[in-house]
């Protein structure tokens, strides 16, 4: 299928490098890069929230006051 696409300079250069390295057409290089990106997107890692004690409890219902308190401590 023929489709006109505008490529950013960095993407164009990556496709040209791949084209020269593998002695393939520019279209094949763009397709390989697109497939590689699509495959990476499918790989997901579980997000784990890391936390640590800050020495006091934070009432998240009063975020603005907590931030102000932390800012005041930082200035002192």
């Amino acid at each position: 299928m023929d489709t006109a696409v505008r490529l950013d300079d960095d993407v164009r250069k990556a496709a040209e490098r791949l084209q020269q390295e593998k002695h393939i057409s520019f279209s094949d290089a763009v397709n390989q890069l697109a497939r590689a990106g699509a495959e990476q997107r499918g790989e997901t890692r579980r997000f784990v929230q890391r936390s640590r004690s800050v020495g006091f409890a934070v009432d998240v219902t009063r975020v603005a006051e907590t931030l102000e308190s932390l800012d005041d401590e930082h200035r002192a």
Side-chain angles (χ1 to χ4, degrees):
M1 174 168 105
D2 288 343
T3 303
V5 177
R6 265 185 222 281
L7 301 176
D8 291 339
D9 285 340
D10 59 330
V11 175
R12 179 187 51 79
K13 288 176 185 176
E16 288 172 346
R17 272 194 307 273
L18 186 62
Q19 176 186 18
Q20 291 173 356
E21 289 171 6
K22 295 196 173 191
H23 305 287
I24 58 177
S25 70
F26 186 78
S27 293
D28 287 341
V30 171
N31 282 322
Q32 285 186 19
L33 291 172
R35 284 187 191 102
E39 288 173 5
Q40 281 185 347
R41 187 173 267 185
E43 297 173 12
T44 58
R45 290 186 293 158
R46 185 169 181 254
F47 176 76
V48 177
Q49 177 66 46
R50 294 188 176 103
S51 61
R52 64 186 177 126
S53 175
V54 291
F56 56 91
V58 176
D59 180 0
V60 294
T61 60
R62 304 173 90 175
V63 174
E65 289 177 25
T66 301
L67 291 173
E68 189 174 316
S69 172
L70 290 171
D71 195 35
D72 290 344
E73 285 181 23
H74 179 70
R75 288 185 187 144

Coordinates of all heavy atoms in Angstrom, one line a residue:
M1 N 0.8 -1.2 0.0 CA 0.0 0.0 0.0 C 0.9 1.2 0.0 O 1.8 1.3 0.8 CB -0.9 0.0 1.3 CG -1.7 1.2 1.4 SD -2.9 1.0 2.7 CE -2.2 1.9 4.0
D2 N 0.6 2.1 -0.9 CA 1.4 3.4 -0.9 C 0.7 4.4 0.0 O -0.5 4.7 -0.2 CB 1.4 3.9 -2.4 CG 2.4 3.1 -3.2 OD1 3.2 2.3 -2.7 OD2 2.3 3.2 -4.5
T3 N 1.5 5.0 0.8 CA 1.0 6.0 1.7 C 2.1 7.1 1.9 O 3.2 6.8 2.1 CB 0.7 5.4 3.1 OG1 -0.3 4.4 3.0 CG2 0.1 6.5 4.1
A4 N 1.7 8.3 1.8 CA 2.6 9.4 2.1 C 2.7 9.7 3.6 O 1.6 9.9 4.2 CB 2.2 10.7 1.3
V5 N 3.9 9.8 4.1 CA 4.1 10.1 5.5 C 5.2 11.0 5.7 O 6.2 10.9 5.0 CB 4.4 8.7 6.3 CG1 4.7 9.0 7.7 CG2 3.3 7.7 6.1
R6 N 5.0 12.0 6.6 CA 6.1 12.9 6.9 C 6.9 12.3 8.1 O 6.3 12.1 9.2 CB 5.6 14.3 7.4 CG 5.5 15.2 6.3 CD 5.1 16.6 6.8 NE 4.2 17.2 5.8 CZ 4.5 17.8 4.7 NH1 5.8 17.9 4.4 NH2 3.6 18.3 3.9
L7 N 8.2 12.2 8.0 CA 9.0 11.6 9.0 C 9.9 12.7 9.7 O 10.4 13.6 8.9 CB 10.0 10.5 8.5 CG 9.3 9.3 7.8 CD1 10.4 8.4 7.2 CD2 8.5 8.6 8.8
D8 N 10.0 12.7 11.0 CA 10.9 13.6 11.6 C 12.3 13.2 11.2 O 12.6 12.1 10.8 CB 10.8 13.5 13.2 CG 9.4 14.0 13.6 OD1 8.8 14.8 12.9 OD2 9.0 13.7 14.8
D9 N 13.2 14.2 11.3 CA 14.6 14.0 10.9 C 15.3 12.8 11.6 O 16.0 12.0 10.9 CB 15.5 15.2 11.1 CG 15.2 16.3 10.1 OD1 14.6 16.0 9.0 OD2 15.5 17.5 10.4
D10 N 15.0 12.6 12.9 CA 15.7 11.5 13.6 C 15.1 10.2 13.1 O 15.9 9.2 13.0 CB 15.5 11.6 15.1 CG 14.1 11.7 15.6 OD1 13.2 12.2 14.8 OD2 13.8 11.3 16.7
V11 N 13.9 10.1 12.8 CA 13.3 8.8 12.3 C 13.8 8.6 10.9 O 14.2 7.4 10.6 CB 11.7 8.9 12.3 CG1 11.1 7.7 11.7 CG2 11.2 9.1 13.7
R12 N 13.9 9.6 10.1 CA 14.4 9.4 8.7 C 15.8 8.9 8.7 O 16.2 8.0 8.0 CB 14.3 10.7 7.9 CG 14.9 10.6 6.5 CD 14.9 12.0 5.8 NE 15.6 13.0 6.6 CZ 16.9 13.2 6.7 NH1 17.7 12.3 6.1 NH2 17.4 14.2 7.4
K13 N 16.7 9.5 9.6 CA 18.1 9.1 9.7 C 18.2 7.7 10.2 O 19.0 6.9 9.7 CB 18.8 10.0 10.7 CG 19.0 11.4 10.0 CD 19.7 12.4 11.0 CE 19.8 13.8 10.4 NZ 20.3 14.7 11.4
A14 N 17.3 7.3 11.1 CA 17.3 5.9 11.6 C 17.0 4.9 10.5 O 17.6 3.9 10.4 CB 16.4 5.7 12.8
A15 N 16.0 5.3 9.7 CA 15.6 4.4 8.6 C 16.7 4.3 7.6 O 17.0 3.3 7.0 CB 14.3 4.9 8.0
E16 N 17.4 5.5 7.3 CA 18.5 5.5 6.3 C 19.6 4.6 6.8 O 20.3 3.9 6.0 CB 18.9 6.9 6.0 CG 17.9 7.7 5.2 CD 18.3 9.1 5.1 OE1 19.1 9.6 5.8 OE2 17.6 9.8 4.2
R17 N 19.9 4.7 8.1 CA 21.0 3.9 8.7 C 20.7 2.4 8.5 O 21.5 1.6 8.1 CB 21.2 4.2 10.2 CG 22.2 5.3 10.4 CD 22.6 5.3 11.9 NE 21.5 5.4 12.8 CZ 20.9 6.5 13.2 NH1 21.3 7.7 12.8 NH2 19.9 6.4 14.1
L18 N 19.4 2.0 8.9 CA 19.0 0.6 8.8 C 19.0 0.2 7.3 O 19.5 -0.9 7.0 CB 17.6 0.4 9.4 CG 17.1 -1.0 9.5 CD1 18.0 -1.8 10.4 CD2 15.7 -1.0 10.0
Q19 N 18.6 1.0 6.4 CA 18.6 0.8 5.0 C 20.0 0.4 4.5 O 20.3 -0.6 3.8 CB 18.1 2.0 4.2 CG 18.1 1.8 2.7 CD 17.7 3.1 2.0 OE1 17.7 4.2 2.6 NE2 17.3 3.0 0.8
Q20 N 21.0 1.2 4.9 CA 22.4 1.0 4.5 C 23.0 -0.2 5.2 O 23.7 -1.0 4.5 CB 23.2 2.2 4.8 CG 22.9 3.4 4.0 CD 23.6 4.7 4.4 OE1 24.3 4.7 5.4 NE2 23.4 5.8 3.6
E21 N 22.7 -0.4 6.5 CA 23.3 -1.6 7.2 C 22.8 -2.9 6.6 O 23.5 -3.9 6.5 CB 22.9 -1.5 8.7 CG 23.6 -0.4 9.5 CD 23.0 -0.3 10.9 OE1 22.1 -1.1 11.3 OE2 23.4 0.7 11.5
K22 N 21.5 -3.0 6.3 CA 20.9 -4.2 5.9 C 20.7 -4.3 4.3 O 20.2 -5.4 3.8 CB 19.5 -4.4 6.6 CG 19.7 -4.6 8.1 CD 18.4 -5.2 8.6 CE 18.7 -5.5 10.1 NZ 17.6 -6.3 10.7
H23 N 21.1 -3.3 3.6 CA 21.0 -3.3 2.2 C 19.5 -3.6 1.7 O 19.3 -4.5 0.9 CB 21.9 -4.2 1.5 CG 23.4 -4.0 1.9 ND1 24.1 -2.9 1.5 CD2 24.2 -4.7 2.8 CE1 25.3 -2.9 2.0 NE2 25.4 -4.0 2.8
I24 N 18.6 -2.8 2.3 CA 17.2 -3.0 2.0 C 16.6 -1.7 1.5 O 17.3 -0.6 1.6 CB 16.4 -3.5 3.3 CG1 16.5 -2.5 4.4 CG2 16.8 -4.9 3.7 CD1 15.8 -2.9 5.7
S25 N 15.4 -1.7 1.1 CA 14.8 -0.4 0.6 C 14.4 0.4 1.8 O 14.3 0.0 2.9 CB 13.5 -0.8 -0.2 OG 12.5 -1.2 0.7
F26 N 14.2 1.7 1.5 CA 13.8 2.7 2.6 C 12.5 2.2 3.2 O 12.3 2.3 4.4 CB 13.7 4.1 2.0 CG 13.5 5.1 3.0 CD1 14.5 5.6 3.9 CD2 12.2 5.7 3.2 CE1 14.3 6.5 4.8 CE2 12.0 6.6 4.1 CZ 13.0 7.1 5.0
S27 N 11.5 1.8 2.3 CA 10.2 1.4 2.8 C 10.4 0.2 3.8 O 9.7 0.1 4.8 CB 9.3 1.0 1.7 OG 9.0 2.1 0.9
D28 N 11.2 -0.8 3.4 CA 11.4 -1.9 4.3 C 12.0 -1.5 5.6 O 11.7 -2.1 6.7 CB 12.3 -3.0 3.6 CG 11.6 -3.7 2.5 OD1 10.3 -3.7 2.5 OD2 12.3 -4.3 1.6
A29 N 12.9 -0.6 5.6 CA 13.6 -0.1 6.8 C 12.5 0.6 7.7 O 12.5 0.3 8.9 CB 14.7 0.9 6.4
V30 N 11.7 1.4 7.1 CA 10.6 2.1 7.9 C 9.7 1.0 8.5 O 9.3 1.1 9.7 CB 9.9 3.1 7.1 CG1 8.6 3.6 7.8 CG2 10.8 4.3 6.7
N31 N 9.3 0.0 7.7 CA 8.4 -1.0 8.2 C 9.1 -1.8 9.4 O 8.4 -2.1 10.4 CB 8.1 -2.0 7.1 CG 7.0 -1.4 6.2 OD1 6.1 -0.8 6.7 ND2 7.1 -1.7 4.9
Q32 N 10.4 -2.1 9.2 CA 11.1 -2.8 10.3 C 11.1 -2.0 11.6 O 10.9 -2.5 12.7 CB 12.5 -3.2 9.9 CG 12.5 -4.4 8.9 CD 13.9 -4.9 8.6 OE1 14.8 -4.6 9.4 NE2 14.1 -5.6 7.6
L33 N 11.4 -0.7 11.5 CA 11.4 0.2 12.6 C 10.0 0.3 13.3 O 9.9 0.2 14.5 CB 11.9 1.6 12.3 CG 13.4 1.6 11.9 CD1 13.7 3.0 11.3 CD2 14.3 1.3 13.1
A34 N 9.0 0.4 12.4 CA 7.6 0.5 13.0 C 7.2 -0.8 13.7 O 6.6 -0.8 14.8 CB 6.6 0.8 11.8
R35 N 7.6 -2.0 13.1 CA 7.3 -3.3 13.8 C 8.0 -3.4 15.1 O 7.4 -3.9 16.1 CB 7.6 -4.4 12.8 CG 6.6 -4.6 11.7 CD 6.9 -5.9 10.9 NE 6.1 -5.9 9.7 CZ 6.6 -5.6 8.5 NH1 7.9 -5.3 8.3 NH2 5.8 -5.6 7.5
A36 N 9.3 -3.0 15.1 CA 10.0 -3.1 16.3 C 9.4 -2.2 17.4 O 9.3 -2.6 18.6 CB 11.5 -2.7 16.1
G37 N 9.0 -1.0 17.1 CA 8.3 -0.2 18.0 C 7.0 -0.7 18.5 O 6.7 -0.7 19.7
A38 N 6.2 -1.3 17.6 CA 4.9 -1.9 18.0 C 5.1 -3.1 18.9 O 4.4 -3.3 19.8 CB 4.2 -2.4 16.7
E39 N 6.2 -3.9 18.7 CA 6.5 -5.1 19.5 C 6.9 -4.6 20.9 O 6.5 -5.2 21.9 CB 7.5 -5.9 18.9 CG 7.1 -6.7 17.7 CD 8.2 -7.4 17.0 OE1 9.3 -7.4 17.5 OE2 7.9 -8.0 15.9
Q40 N 7.7 -3.6 21.0 CA 8.1 -3.1 22.3 C 6.9 -2.6 23.1 O 6.9 -2.7 24.3 CB 9.1 -1.9 22.1 CG 10.5 -2.4 21.9 CD 11.5 -1.3 21.8 OE1 11.1 -0.1 21.8 NE2 12.8 -1.6 21.9
R41 N 6.0 -2.0 22.4 CA 4.8 -1.4 23.1 C 4.0 -2.5 23.8 O 3.4 -2.3 24.8 CB 3.9 -0.7 22.1 CG 2.8 0.1 22.8 CD 2.1 0.9 21.8 NE 2.7 2.3 21.8 CZ 2.2 3.3 21.1 NH1 1.2 3.1 20.3 NH2 2.8 4.5 21.3
G42 N 4.0 -3.7 23.2 CA 3.3 -4.8 23.8 C 3.9 -5.3 25.1 O 3.3 -6.0 25.9
E43 N 5.2 -5.1 25.3 CA 5.9 -5.5 26.5 C 5.6 -4.5 27.6 O 6.1 -3.4 27.6 CB 7.4 -5.6 26.2 CG 7.8 -6.6 25.2 CD 9.3 -6.5 24.8 OE1 10.0 -5.8 25.6 OE2 9.7 -7.1 23.8
T44 N 4.9 -5.0 28.6 CA 4.6 -4.1 29.7 C 5.2 -4.7 31.0 O 5.2 -5.9 31.2 CB 3.1 -3.9 29.9 OG1 2.5 -5.2 30.1 CG2 2.5 -3.2 28.7
R45 N 5.6 -3.9 31.8 CA 6.1 -4.3 33.2 C 5.1 -3.8 34.2 O 4.6 -2.7 34.1 CB 7.5 -3.8 33.4 CG 8.6 -4.4 32.6 CD 9.9 -4.0 33.0 NE 10.1 -2.5 32.7 CZ 11.0 -1.7 33.3 NH1 11.8 -2.2 34.2 NH2 11.1 -0.5 33.0
R46 N 4.9 -4.6 35.2 CA 4.0 -4.2 36.3 C 4.7 -3.0 37.0 O 5.8 -3.1 37.4 CB 3.8 -5.4 37.2 CG 2.8 -5.1 38.3 CD 2.4 -6.3 39.0 NE 1.4 -6.0 40.0 CZ 1.6 -6.0 41.3 NH1 2.8 -6.3 41.8 NH2 0.7 -5.6 42.2
F47 N 3.9 -2.0 37.2 CA 4.4 -0.8 38.0 C 4.3 -1.1 39.5 O 3.2 -1.6 40.0 CB 3.5 0.4 37.7 CG 3.9 1.6 38.5 CD1 5.1 2.3 38.2 CD2 3.1 2.0 39.5 CE1 5.4 3.4 38.9 CE2 3.5 3.1 40.3 CZ 4.7 3.9 40.0
V48 N 5.3 -0.8 40.2 CA 5.3 -1.0 41.6 C 5.7 0.4 42.2 O 6.7 0.9 42.0 CB 6.4 -2.0 42.1 CG1 6.5 -2.1 43.6 CG2 6.1 -3.4 41.4
Q49 N 4.7 0.8 43.1 CA 4.9 2.1 43.7 C 5.9 1.9 44.9 O 5.6 1.1 45.8 CB 3.6 2.7 44.2 CG 3.7 4.0 45.0 CD 4.2 5.1 44.1 OE1 3.7 5.3 43.0 NE2 5.2 5.9 44.6
R50 N 6.9 2.7 44.9 CA 7.9 2.6 46.0 C 7.6 3.8 46.9 O 7.3 4.9 46.5 CB 9.3 2.7 45.5 CG 9.7 1.5 44.7 CD 11.2 1.5 44.4 NE 11.5 0.3 43.7 CZ 11.8 0.3 42.4 NH1 11.7 1.4 41.6 NH2 12.1 -0.9 41.8
S51 N 7.6 3.5 48.2 CA 7.3 4.6 49.2 C 8.3 4.5 50.3 O 9.0 3.5 50.5 CB 5.9 4.5 49.7 OG 5.7 3.3 50.3
R52 N 8.4 5.6 51.0 CA 9.3 5.6 52.2 C 8.7 6.5 53.2 O 7.9 7.4 52.9 CB 10.7 5.9 51.9 CG 10.9 7.3 51.3 CD 12.3 7.6 50.9 NE 12.4 8.9 50.3 CZ 13.3 9.8 50.7 NH1 14.1 9.5 51.6 NH2 13.3 11.0 50.1
S53 N 9.1 6.3 54.4 CA 8.6 7.2 55.5 C 9.2 8.6 55.4 O 10.4 8.7 55.2 CB 8.9 6.6 56.9 OG 8.5 7.4 57.9
V54 N 8.3 9.6 55.6 CA 8.8 11.0 55.7 C 8.8 11.5 57.1 O 9.0 12.7 57.3 CB 8.0 11.9 54.7 CG1 8.3 11.5 53.3 CG2 6.5 11.8 55.0
G55 N 8.4 10.6 58.1 CA 8.5 11.0 59.4 C 7.2 11.6 60.0 O 7.1 11.9 61.2
F56 N 6.1 11.7 59.2 CA 4.9 12.2 59.7 C 3.8 11.7 58.7 O 4.0 11.3 57.6 CB 4.8 13.7 59.8 CG 5.1 14.4 58.5 CD1 4.1 14.8 57.6 CD2 6.4 14.7 58.2 CE1 4.4 15.4 56.5 CE2 6.7 15.4 57.0 CZ 5.7 15.7 56.1
A57 N 2.5 11.7 59.2 CA 1.4 11.2 58.4 C 0.9 12.4 57.6 O 1.0 13.5 58.0 CB 0.3 10.7 59.3
V58 N 0.4 12.1 56.4 CA -0.1 13.1 55.5 C -1.6 12.8 55.3 O -2.0 11.7 54.9 CB 0.6 13.1 54.2 CG1 0.0 14.1 53.2 CG2 2.1 13.4 54.3
D59 N -2.4 13.8 55.6 CA -3.8 13.7 55.3 C -4.1 14.2 53.9 O -4.0 15.4 53.6 CB -4.6 14.6 56.3 CG -6.1 14.6 56.1 OD1 -6.6 13.8 55.2 OD2 -6.8 15.3 56.9
V60 N -4.3 13.2 53.0 CA -4.5 13.6 51.6 C -5.8 14.3 51.3 O -5.9 14.8 50.2 CB -4.4 12.3 50.7 CG1 -3.0 11.7 50.8 CG2 -5.5 11.3 51.0
T61 N -6.6 14.5 52.2 CA -7.8 15.3 52.0 C -7.5 16.7 52.1 O -8.3 17.6 51.7 CB -9.0 14.9 53.0 OG1 -8.5 15.1 54.3 CG2 -9.4 13.4 52.9
R62 N -6.3 17.1 52.6 CA -5.9 18.5 52.8 C -4.6 18.7 52.1 O -3.6 19.1 52.8 CB -5.9 18.8 54.2 CG -7.3 18.5 54.9 CD -7.2 18.7 56.4 NE -7.5 20.1 56.7 CZ -7.7 20.6 57.9 NH1 -7.5 19.9 58.9 NH2 -8.0 21.9 58.0
V63 N -4.5 18.4 50.8 CA -3.2 18.4 50.1 C -2.6 19.8 50.1 O -1.4 19.9 50.3 CB -3.4 17.9 48.7 CG1 -2.1 18.0 47.9 CG2 -3.9 16.4 48.7
A64 N -3.4 20.8 49.9 CA -2.9 22.2 49.8 C -2.2 22.6 51.1 O -1.1 23.1 51.1 CB -4.0 23.1 49.4
E65 N -2.8 22.2 52.2 CA -2.2 22.6 53.5 C -0.9 21.8 53.7 O 0.0 22.3 54.3 CB -3.2 22.3 54.6 CG -4.4 23.3 54.7 CD -5.4 22.9 55.7 OE1 -5.0 22.3 56.7 OE2 -6.6 23.3 55.6
T66 N -0.9 20.5 53.3 CA 0.3 19.7 53.5 C 1.4 20.3 52.7 O 2.5 20.4 53.2 CB 0.0 18.2 53.1 OG1 -1.1 17.8 53.9 CG2 1.2 17.4 53.3
L67 N 1.1 20.6 51.4 CA 2.2 21.2 50.6 C 2.7 22.5 51.2 O 3.9 22.8 51.1 CB 1.7 21.4 49.2 CG 1.4 20.1 48.4 CD1 0.7 20.4 47.1 CD2 2.7 19.3 48.2
E68 N 1.8 23.3 51.7 CA 2.3 24.6 52.3 C 3.1 24.3 53.5 O 4.2 25.0 53.7 CB 1.0 25.4 52.6 CG 1.4 26.8 53.1 CD 0.1 27.6 53.3 OE1 -0.8 27.5 52.5 OE2 0.1 28.3 54.3
S69 N 2.7 23.3 54.3 CA 3.5 23.0 55.5 C 4.9 22.5 55.1 O 5.9 22.9 55.7 CB 2.8 21.9 56.3 OG 3.6 21.4 57.3
L70 N 5.0 21.7 54.1 CA 6.3 21.2 53.6 C 7.1 22.3 53.0 O 8.4 22.4 53.3 CB 6.1 20.1 52.6 CG 5.6 18.8 53.0 CD1 5.2 17.8 51.9 CD2 6.5 18.1 54.0
D71 N 6.5 23.2 52.3 CA 7.2 24.4 51.8 C 7.8 25.2 52.9 O 8.9 25.7 52.8 CB 6.3 25.2 50.9 CG 7.0 26.1 50.0 OD1 8.2 25.8 49.6 OD2 6.5 27.2 49.7
D72 N 7.0 25.5 53.9 CA 7.4 26.3 55.1 C 8.6 25.6 55.8 O 9.6 26.3 56.1 CB 6.3 26.4 56.1 CG 5.2 27.4 55.6 OD1 5.4 28.1 54.6 OD2 4.1 27.3 56.1
E73 N 8.6 24.3 55.9 CA 9.7 23.6 56.5 C 11.0 23.7 55.7 O 12.1 23.8 56.2 CB 9.4 22.1 56.7 CG 8.4 21.9 57.9 CD 8.1 20.4 58.0 OE1 8.9 19.5 57.6 OE2 7.0 20.1 58.6
H74 N 10.8 23.6 54.4 CA 11.9 23.7 53.5 C 12.6 25.1 53.5 O 13.8 25.2 53.5 CB 11.5 23.4 52.0 CG 12.6 23.5 51.0 ND1 13.6 22.6 51.0 CD2 12.8 24.4 50.0 CE1 14.4 22.9 50.0 NE2 13.9 24.0 49.4
R75 N 11.8 26.2 53.7 CA 12.3 27.5 53.8 C 13.0 27.8 55.1 O 13.9 28.6 55.1 CB 11.2 28.5 53.6 CG 10.6 28.6 52.2 CD 9.6 29.7 52.1 NE 9.0 29.6 50.8 CZ 7.7 29.9 50.5 NH1 6.9 30.2 51.5 NH2 7.3 29.8 49.3
A76 N 12.7 27.1 56.1 CA 13.2 27.3 57.4 C 14.7 26.8 57.5 O 15.3 26.2 56.8 CB 12.4 26.6 58.5

